[in-house]
Amino acid sequence: VQLVESGGGSVQAGGSLSVSCAASGYTSDHYCLAWFRQAPGKEREGVAAIDTTGMPTYTYSVKDRFTISKDNVKSTLYLQIDSLKPEDTAMYYCAADESGKWWIPVLRFGRYDSWGQGTQVTVS
């Protein structure tokens, strides 16, 4: 599985941004997919995940501002970020759970086998 993120950039607080993750080597409806982010000096945290049925899960700090979605035909994962805050500044990574580790919560780092290279989001 190969994952390639795009769409990051610099935006002002209160603005919106959409990031994408193009996947190859698998069918996106077979795996749980997620977005993580990592700010300088902080641990990588899961912010949104979407399971094989399309059900989303969000970490509390981004709920009502982030929307995760996927297009199984295009094998692309999306993250719409609204009402951006400076604390949203981070490298954003997409991840795929190839092994089906259903016993690990969907926002936990250890659930995921494949990672993209990341796309930077900066909010000022």
Side-chain angles (χ1 to χ4, degrees):
V1 176
Q2 291 188 331
L3 304 171
V4 180
E5 300 94 336
S6 62
S10 296
V11 295
Q12 291 189 337
S16 297
L17 192 68
S18 180
V19 292
S20 302
C21 173
S24 61
Y26 80 106
T27 304
S28 64
D29 59 342
H30 290 176
Y31 305 104
C32 183
L33 306 170
W35 285 100
F36 283 69
R37 67 183 180 186
Q38 188 167 20
K42 295 188 177 181
E43 292 187 353
R44 193 170 298 190
E45 66 165 339
V47 295
I50 188 165
D51 68 14
T52 56
T53 70
M55 186 178 74
T57 301
Y58 300 97
T59 193
Y60 181 80
S61 63
V62 308
K63 203 171 182 180
D64 298 329
R65 298 192 300 118
F66 287 24
T67 304
I68 189 171
S69 62
K70 62 178 180 175
D71 184 326
N72 290 332
V73 174
K74 295 182 179 179
S75 291
T76 301
L77 180 70
Y78 303 97
L79 184 69
Q80 175 68 33
I81 310 173
D82 298 318
S83 302
L84 277 156
K85 303 177 181 180
E87 51 263 44
D88 294 322
T89 295
M91 188 73 80
Y92 283 71
Y93 300 89
C94 64
D97 169 21
E98 296 181 69
S99 303
K101 295 188 278 295
W102 55 268
W103 59 93
I104 301 176
V106 295
L107 294 179
R108 292 286 295 272
F109 179 88
R111 173 94 181 230
Y112 299 93
D113 314 283
S114 297
W115 296 84
Q117 83 290 346
T119 186
Q120 178 69 37
V121 173
T122 303
V123 185
S124 59

